[in-house]
Amino acid sequence: MAPATEHQSSFLSRISRRSQVVSMEVNHEQELEELEDFQKHVAERFTELLPPSDSPESYPILSIQWLRKLLDVFMSIESEFHSVLTTNPSQISKPPLDKIVPEMLDRIVKALDICTAVVNGVDSVRQIQRCAEIAVTALKQTPLSDGSVRRAKRALTSLLAALNADKNSGSSGGGSGRRSSTDQWSSFGRRSGGSGGGGGGGGGGCVSKNWSAAKQIQAMTANLVAPRGGEASPIYIMSSVMVMVMWTLVVAVPCQTSNGLMVHLPLPKNQVWASAAVSISERIGEEMKRKETRCGGLMEEMQRMERIGLKLMEFSEGFRFNGEDDVTAEVAEMEETCRKMEDGLEVLQRRVREAFHRLVKSRSEILEVIDH
Amino acid sequence: MAEFDSKLPVSGGKNHVFEACHHVVKALRASDNNLDANLRKLLSDLEMHLSTFGIADTEVEDVGFSEIKERFKEAVKKIRSWETNQSTILEAGLSEANQFFQALYEVQSVLVGFKALPIKTNQKEKDVYNQATVALDIAMLRLEKELRDVLHQHKQHVQPEYLAVSSRRKDIVYDESFVSLDDEVVVEASLHEDDEQISDFYSSDLVDPSVLPHIKAIANVMFACEYDQPFCEAFISVQREALDEYMVTLEMERFSCVDVLKMEWEDLNGAMRKWTRVVKIITQVYLASEKQLCEQILGDFESISTACFIEISKDTVLSLLNFGEAVALRSCKPEMLERFLSMYEVSAEILVDVDNLFPDEAGSFLRIAFHDMSKKLADHTTATFLKFKDAIASDESARPFHGGGIHHLTRYVMNYLKLLPEYTDTLNSLLQNIHVDDSIPEKTGEDVLPSTFSPMARHLRSIVTTLESSLERKAQLYADEALKSIFLMNNFRYMVQKVKGSELRHLFGDEWIRKHIASYQRNVTNYERSSWSSILALLTEKNESVRTLRERCKLFSLAFDDVYKNQTHWSVPDPELRDDLHISTSVKVVQSYRGFLGRNAVRIGEKHIRYTCEDIENMLLDLFECSPSPRSLLSSRRR
């Protein structure tokens, strides 16, 4: 056999030596090329997501548009992975990859549940949006009166409570102690009834009892170890990408989770394909530290709503009829943010559901390859 | 808030208020369709007052205006009196309710009036406006509370009785262990329990219908006052919680994909059964009623009713869908076939209901998701069905089956097939385009049922053919030719009996039955030949010497003993088959022996004849009893 020594520790070199040398060399070439292409693809797509970029299409990190783009990147990388897999199915049935594959399948299933949690989480954000809309409607009344401000205050109270729900409650299952017989089934974080009116927080459901996004992400990163020396296999790359995307979604969207979402992802620092992704995840990690939250819900629009909401609340509390204060600018900004949410959240949910189905397909394709 | 004070000027400014009233009346008249009796009365009163006053008549004006002012003051007082009252306005009675609404309309008129004024009013009038906004907000908040309380207190439960019954039934688990159950138990378990009862509970009212007018009045007024968003939020929140509670009473749990993949078969079996029941109740009964309720309350407001309904039902529906998807992730084990069949069947059945629940664009994502899930279940079910054959084909035995009786595989397969006619329509639709080789040629005619050549029938025959091949292979493991035949006859007989004694006979058809009866009859013949031919050959003689005859007799006894020793351990479970075997064996053997003895007994001499004919006849009856300890050979006739 005439391997190039620099590739000795690559996954290719572990392919059965009983194969014919000639065809193996040809395969080698092909596979190497494919691997390079795949890595390049990954690097390029993630670079598009980097902040701040010159393209007119760049959005702030963790904004709804950016998240949609993230999912586009994920789907595109997944398609590439699929073609790598179909042209070289033998890759995943030879050792030691035959051990790595079951781990990947397991990660996919966890990712499915995370997609479900994110879809539910987006519903919670919709709920928050509705609170904000009520506040906007109230504060747009002219002339602004005590009645409108009362109404706005109620909505803003709900809004701010919902925005901070995860941070206060801590444990999964919305530890406010108000959950009783509906524990098994009812929504995470939902307040029952409530006299405050205007959206009682938490509109999304739960994945299952005691499920926690943070724990699942943690589990997904277990055994995600870069192969020593040389090249990373497509499987390893795909797994890492999947973990990174899922983690990012959980950071952005308020999901059913216990405290303790990890701040650092075990992504390889020295590989070209990963550098943009590492950059992005570090930025996100910084954001998490800055906000002192390990619970997710850092979507850019939500943060903005919190900021404006606090200002509006201050205004409302100090409001006097015929006073001089003017909040039209803030109200307009809030309205604009609501509009962004209105336009973007549904599509985001749809993309996450598409990702769910794609992952299901990917899993059954891998299983089929293994079975034969 | 300061008590309302007459700060209104007596001169000059009053014209503004007067005009405001005109505007109010005009505006309200213009929106006549939404007015209820109270408001109409209010308007006519007002109009009457206004019409009797000319602008010039200042004195009378003041009287007219102060009346409005008084009314406003009273209205605010009425509204405030309800602010802290915890009981519902509804239960205070119709008159109280009317008064509250009337007060509200008063306040709203003032607001509308002020808004309609073309010129800025003075500070004092602005204060009135301000107070009116607060009164309105108090009223709206109070109505929101009213909405929640009334909906909650007048909730009606959808509780089909059969639910209590089925949850008590023990789930029969269809794994290898069920081969040891009596066949009767298996039959019992396959009863399709719940279809009929559900239709009795169509469109139950989720809320006591008598409170609906009150709720609708709340909706109308809150929408009129531009508090539609809080109304919807409150409504959605209460209804969604009610649905959640209902799911709890149905004992439906949520499972993650990870959970579903890890679950033990017994637990998953139970969860799938539950899902099958629950998804039907929810889509056909509960959500249909919920949609109706939304229509009744919010039907006047175009797309709002649809939007609210979707918000209320979305979470539960998505969760049910998720379980369907998760279940399709599991591998296609044959024991799961029946559960998949029912889940798929139900999912296909409710598509019509789902389409009716979510016909619009807004709900299309749910509708589409349901169709997708149903398709996934269809594919998965079909794959599981087709894999059943593979599982049978790959069932390899290392050793011959003890006693030549009915193999576990045969029992399993046949009992399983017996359950499938219940899903005939479903299976036919799933299998219609999947080709399979049939073991009997297609026929038409008067005596041939169309069901015999349906896709399902063809596939079932093909499955049984695979079973037969497997059995042939297992039969090869027997060294003893006779035992091989016993094994095959037992198993084929069992197959035939199962088919004849159930719905399967319409699917397999008479020709298949005939062919298979012939098959095991052949094995009966084989058995007799391989067991007895050589032994009976000992009993045919042609002028043998006495010594030879005695030798023959002895050999016969020894050979017979051998057969006896072996074949009493063999098993022919089917009583009829066993009787037939006894009879035909007996006829052959006893006849030959009787003939032999008849011809030669005298020459051989009694002391060389071990067994009488009677002995032989009796001992033959012990064969195939599969008794652990056969009657001792020595206990037979002693010498």
Side-chain angles (χ1 to χ4, degrees):
Chain A
M1 214 190 75
T5 44
E6 64 265 30
H7 296 295
Q8 204 125 67
S9 49
S10 86
F11 74 102
L12 297 171
S13 66
R14 293 175 194 131
I15 288 176
S16 171
R17 293 174 197 280
R18 276 173 264 134
S19 306
Q20 291 189 19
V21 172
V22 171
S23 64
M24 218 185 103
E25 278 194 19
V26 169
N27 254 350
H28 252 289
E29 294 293 316
Q30 259 181 4
E31 283 175 11
L32 279 178
E33 221 176 274
E34 245 179 17
L35 177 63
E36 264 176 43
D37 283 344
F38 184 57
Q39 290 178 342
K40 216 165 72 166
H41 186 89
V42 171
E44 278 169 11
R45 296 318 306 269
F46 270 104
T47 311
E48 287 167 26
L49 287 171
L50 277 175
S53 99
D54 301 337
S55 105
E57 284 229 324
S58 80
Y59 310 104
I61 272 197
L62 296 183
S63 67
I64 295 175
Q65 293 282 58
W66 185 88
L67 290 168
R68 278 166 61 174
K69 213 148 169 244
L70 176 72
L71 283 166
D72 287 343
V73 164
F74 175 67
M75 300 288 252
S76 145
I77 293 177
E78 211 284 329
S79 297
E80 276 298 304
F81 176 69
H82 171 74
S83 30
V84 166
L85 209 58
T86 44
T87 52
N88 273 308
S90 59
Q91 285 180 29
I92 64 172
S93 37
K94 302 235 164 47
L97 291 169
D98 58 349
K99 283 200 205 62
I100 299 180
V101 168
E103 280 168 2
M104 181 180 202
L105 289 174
D106 183 65
R107 263 184 220 112
I108 292 181
V109 177
K110 294 183 162 68
L112 290 177
D113 287 329
I114 291 186
C115 288
T116 304
V118 169
V119 167
N120 291 342
V122 173
D123 273 340
S124 303
V125 181
R126 284 265 202 74
Q127 186 87 31
I128 289 170
Q129 175 200 335
R130 289 201 288 267
C131 288
E133 281 168 355
I134 293 177
V136 165
T137 307
L139 293 174
K140 273 174 83 172
Q141 298 283 315
T142 47
L144 206 50
S145 63
D146 279 327
S148 313
V149 170
R150 264 177 57 114
R151 181 177 171 186
K153 252 169 66 178
R154 277 199 305 275
L156 288 169
T157 308
S158 297
L159 172 70
L160 292 170
L163 283 168
N164 287 291
D166 300 314
K167 296 162 197 159
N168 291 337
S169 62
S171 64
S172 74
S176 63
R178 258 177 287 191
R179 300 162 59 70
S180 51
S181 63
T182 43
D183 238 19
Q184 272 183 315
W185 184 267
S186 99
S187 294
F188 167 70
R190 175 176 310 155
R191 327 275 145 126
S192 54
S195 56
C206 70
V207 174
S208 70
K209 230 182 346 180
N210 301 323
W211 188 87
S212 159
K215 284 210 196 102
Q216 296 301 310
I217 299 272
Q218 182 88 38
M220 280 170 82
T221 59
N223 300 325
L224 195 64
V225 174
R228 253 166 281 176
E231 309 290 328
S233 67
I235 288 199
Y236 169 71
I237 296 176
M238 189 66 231
S239 294
S240 305
V241 168
M242 188 169 63
V243 170
M244 191 262 178
V245 170
M246 291 299 130
W247 172 80
T248 306
L249 288 173
V250 171
V251 169
V253 175
C255 291
Q256 178 184 359
T257 188
S258 55
N259 248 331
L261 190 57
M262 54 203 314
V263 173
H264 296 290
L265 283 185
L267 293 173
K269 300 263 165 70
N270 57 352
Q271 308 222 341
V272 176
W273 64 266
S275 54
V278 167
S279 229
I280 294 171
S281 65
E282 278 175 355
R283 247 302 290 274
I284 296 176
E286 276 163 25
E287 189 69 18
M288 285 172 79
K289 280 188 267 199
R290 194 173 67 82
K291 296 282 295 181
E292 287 172 358
T293 174
R294 313 260 312 263
C295 278
L298 289 183
M299 186 187 288
E300 195 259 341
E301 284 82 355
M302 283 171 72
Q303 292 197 55
R304 191 182 298 214
M305 272 193 174
E306 191 173 1
R307 225 172 33 244
I308 306 173
L310 286 168
K311 274 205 204 121
L312 291 177
M313 187 57 126
E314 211 185 299
F315 164 79
S316 303
E317 276 168 346
F319 175 77
R320 276 176 31 229
F321 188 53
N322 281 328
E324 293 306 316
D325 295 338
D326 179 21
V327 277
T328 30
E330 284 85 349
V331 170
E333 201 188 339
M334 188 65 115
E335 197 174 16
E336 174 65 19
T337 312
C338 288
R339 193 197 57 79
K340 281 210 184 104
M341 284 188 172
E342 181 65 30
D343 290 343
L345 286 177
E346 211 177 299
V347 180
L348 180 63
Q349 259 181 336
R350 211 180 322 145
R351 291 302 271 159
V352 176
R353 275 199 288 269
E354 281 168 22
F356 179 98
H357 290 298
R358 181 74 74 83
L359 285 168
V360 169
K361 221 169 110 195
S362 179
R363 179 179 174 274
S364 53
E365 277 159 4
I366 296 180
L367 282 172
E368 231 170 278
V369 171
I370 294 183
D371 279 344
H372 301 115
Chain B
M1 251 335 212
E3 182 66 31
F4 177 78
D5 217 343
S6 176
K7 295 203 180 86
L8 291 157
V10 180
S11 62
K14 67 179 179 287
N15 280 340
H16 294 292
V17 179
F18 202 63
E19 276 189 46
C21 291
H22 268 298
H23 281 293
V24 165
V25 175
K26 256 205 294 207
L28 287 172
R29 275 274 177 242
S31 61
D32 210 355
N33 358 336
N34 281 333
L35 302 181
D36 74 354
N38 289 319
L39 188 54
R40 266 193 220 107
K41 178 157 191 317
L42 172 67
L43 277 182
S44 357
D45 286 350
L46 198 50
E47 262 182 337
M48 199 177 68
H49 284 297
L50 290 176
S51 67
T52 59
F53 301 130
I55 299 189
D57 197 344
T58 52
E59 209 183 276
V60 180
E61 240 173 50
D62 291 347
V63 170
F65 177 71
S66 61
E67 228 179 278
I68 295 171
K69 176 185 68 176
E70 262 315 298
R71 292 241 276 260
F72 179 73
K73 206 160 108 181
E74 284 308 305
V76 174
K77 216 156 88 176
K78 169 62 61 176
I79 287 172
R80 297 209 127 205
S81 76
W82 274 103
E83 196 176 358
T84 48
N85 190 336
Q86 289 302 313
S87 50
T88 60
I89 300 173
L90 179 69
E91 63 194 351
L94 192 58
S95 147
E96 268 297 319
N98 280 343
Q99 285 175 38
F100 182 87
F101 280 110
Q102 201 166 334
L104 184 47
Y105 281 127
E106 283 278 0
V107 171
Q108 176 66 335
S109 325
V110 170
L111 284 172
V112 168
F114 272 101
K115 289 226 181 91
L117 282 177
I119 21 172
K120 272 196 165 22
T121 47
N122 60 37
Q123 186 55 43
K124 293 187 175 138
E125 286 168 349
K126 278 203 202 156
D127 282 342
V128 169
Y129 168 75
N130 194 38
Q131 286 158 19
T133 64
V134 176
L136 183 73
D137 191 63
I138 294 173
M140 290 292 115
L141 185 59
R142 184 59 185 79
L143 283 179
E144 196 189 309
K145 173 173 154 52
E146 178 77 6
L147 174 68
R148 285 180 190 268
D149 291 345
V150 169
L151 279 176
H152 187 75
Q153 289 168 19
H154 296 267
K155 194 165 61 171
Q156 290 182 171
H157 287 282
V158 180
Q159 190 82 8
E161 280 156 17
Y162 75 89
L163 270 184
V165 173
S166 6
S167 60
R168 270 188 262 123
R169 272 188 31 197
K170 184 169 165 343
D171 274 331
I172 305 280
V173 178
Y174 295 115
D175 61 10
E176 287 73 34
S177 69
F178 96 148
V179 301
S180 55
L181 294 172
D182 280 349
D183 292 285
E184 291 70 50
V185 180
V186 171
V187 168
E188 197 186 286
S190 74
L191 289 170
H192 235 26
E193 71 273 86
D194 41 26
D195 289 343
E196 287 67 47
Q197 291 99 315
I198 291 186
S199 55
D200 293 344
F201 294 91
Y202 262 105
S203 284
S204 358
D205 292 307
L206 295 183
V207 169
D208 178 0
S210 65
V211 310
L212 286 184
H214 184 63
I215 297 194
K216 209 162 148 53
I218 297 177
N220 286 340
V221 76
M222 284 183 78
F223 271 68
C225 297
E226 292 176 13
Y227 271 71
D228 44 295
Q229 290 158 315
F231 176 89
C232 290
E233 284 312 298
F235 179 68
I236 290 169
S237 153
V238 172
Q239 290 307 99
R240 197 165 45 201
E241 204 165 301
L243 176 54
D244 276 0
E245 276 171 22
Y246 188 64
M247 292 299 276
V248 172
T249 63
L250 292 179
E251 294 176 354
M252 187 75 220
E253 258 187 84
R254 288 189 193 225
F255 298 109
S256 64
C257 290
V258 169
D259 292 337
V260 170
L261 284 178
K262 270 200 320 223
M263 259 191 203
E264 292 296 333
W265 169 230
E266 275 161 36
D267 296 326
L268 183 63
N269 188 41
M272 287 168 87
R273 280 189 105 106
K274 203 173 280 180
W275 185 93
T276 309
R277 281 201 302 269
V278 168
V279 93
K280 237 178 118 141
I281 298 171
I282 291 293
T283 52
Q284 290 180 338
V285 181
Y286 195 99
L287 287 183
S289 307
E290 185 74 67
K291 190 172 162 101
Q292 197 179 55
L293 182 68
C294 291
E295 278 292 306
Q296 283 168 328
I297 295 176
L298 295 165
D300 292 337
F301 305 108
E302 296 182 3
S303 59
I304 304 255
S305 160
T306 309
C308 284
F309 174 64
I310 293 175
E311 281 305 310
I312 293 169
S313 53
K314 190 165 59 169
D315 179 50
T316 297
V317 165
L318 285 175
S319 181
L320 289 170
L321 282 170
N322 199 52
F323 183 76
E325 301 267 346
V327 144
L329 294 173
R330 285 190 70 123
S331 51
C332 306
K333 294 267 173 55
E335 59 264 28
M336 301 182 79
L337 179 62
E338 208 206 349
R339 284 282 72 75
F340 275 122
L341 273 169
S342 1
M343 276 182 74
Y344 165 64
E345 200 171 56
V346 149
S347 76
E349 189 188 320
I350 59 166
L351 285 180
V352 165
D353 301 284
V354 167
D355 288 346
N356 287 335
L357 287 175
F358 307 108
D360 305 326
E361 174 62 34
S364 64
F365 72 100
L366 290 173
R367 203 172 61 234
I368 293 172
F370 253 106
H371 282 262
D372 284 347
M373 180 209 54
S374 185
K375 175 89 189 11
K376 245 191 209 146
L377 286 176
D379 292 342
H380 203 74
T381 306
T382 310
T384 306
F385 179 83
L386 295 174
K387 280 231 172 98
F388 191 29
K389 233 193 311 198
D390 293 343
I392 297 170
S394 63
D395 184 81
E396 291 301 337
S397 304
R399 283 168 318 183
F401 188 68
H402 177 73
I406 300 167
H407 199 278
H408 298 315
L409 185 66
T410 313
R411 277 191 213 273
Y412 185 87
V413 173
M414 297 316 291
N415 281 325
Y416 211 95
L417 293 186
K418 264 179 71 175
L419 300 169
L420 298 182
E422 233 179 304
Y423 302 98
T424 301
D425 291 339
T426 304
L427 277 171
N428 275 327
S429 88
L430 287 174
L431 297 171
Q432 62 189 348
N433 293 321
I434 302 183
H435 173 77
V436 72
D437 290 331
D438 202 350
S439 55
I440 57 176
E442 177 148 6
K443 263 209 197 127
T444 44
E446 277 178 10
D447 53 342
V448 178
L449 290 171
S451 58
T452 308
F453 292 100
S454 59
M456 177 182 171
R458 290 182 202 274
H459 278 270
L460 291 192
R461 278 194 291 272
S462 176
I463 287 177
V464 174
T465 304
T466 310
L467 172 64
E468 289 167 29
S469 309
S470 182
L471 289 171
E472 306 272 356
R473 281 197 303 279
K474 293 185 199 309
Q476 298 310 319
L477 295 170
Y478 292 106
D480 190 329
E481 190 66 32
L483 188 53
K484 188 188 296 188
S485 305
I486 294 282
F487 175 73
L488 288 173
M489 91 173 64
N490 276 329
N491 282 274
F492 274 61
R493 165 83 180 175
Y494 183 82
M495 281 158 38
V496 168
Q497 290 305 98
K498 282 289 165 183
V499 167
K500 273 172 75 176
S502 71
E503 288 295 307
L504 291 173
R505 72 180 181 279
H506 302 305
L507 292 163
F508 280 81
D510 289 335
E511 188 176 334
W512 185 93
I513 293 175
R514 276 196 299 270
K515 267 174 86 169
H516 285 69
I517 291 177
S519 180
Y520 75 71
Q521 296 288 21
R522 275 198 297 276
N523 279 308
V524 169
T525 314
N526 277 346
Y527 158 75
E528 285 170 358
R529 191 179 30 79
S530 46
S531 263
W532 297 106
S533 309
S534 47
I535 296 180
L536 296 182
L538 291 170
L539 300 178
T540 56
E541 79 290 4
K542 279 198 169 75
N543 300 320
E544 270 33 305
S545 67
V546 173
R547 205 169 68 178
T548 317
L549 286 175
R550 286 184 183 155
E551 191 63 32
R552 290 277 187 87
C553 199
K554 193 167 103 184
L555 285 173
F556 175 83
S557 305
L558 287 173
F560 186 88
D561 284 346
D562 249 349
V563 167
Y564 183 85
K565 245 193 331 224
N566 279 337
Q567 298 197 3
T568 40
H569 294 300
W570 294 2
S571 161
V572 178
D574 187 288
E576 237 179 80
L577 184 60
R578 192 169 59 242
D579 280 348
D580 284 349
L581 267 178
H582 280 153
I583 291 169
S584 75
T585 311
S586 184
V587 161
K588 272 212 182 58
V589 175
V590 171
Q591 236 175 36
S592 288
Y593 195 55
R594 186 172 285 129
F596 177 77
L597 284 186
R599 287 188 298 276
N600 304 300
V602 173
R603 286 173 70 194
I604 295 171
E606 245 194 74
K607 78 171 187 199
H608 294 282
I609 300 178
R610 195 126 174 257
Y611 298 122
T612 63
C613 279
E614 225 178 83
D615 289 335
I616 296 290
E617 212 168 344
N618 289 335
M619 288 170 83
L620 281 176
L621 288 174
D622 287 340
L623 296 190
F624 321 124
E625 296 293 334
C626 194
S627 42
S629 49
R631 261 201 332 222
S632 167
L633 297 170
L634 299 176
S635 68
S636 63
R637 184 167 182 251
R638 284 176 173 273
R639 287 236 133 209

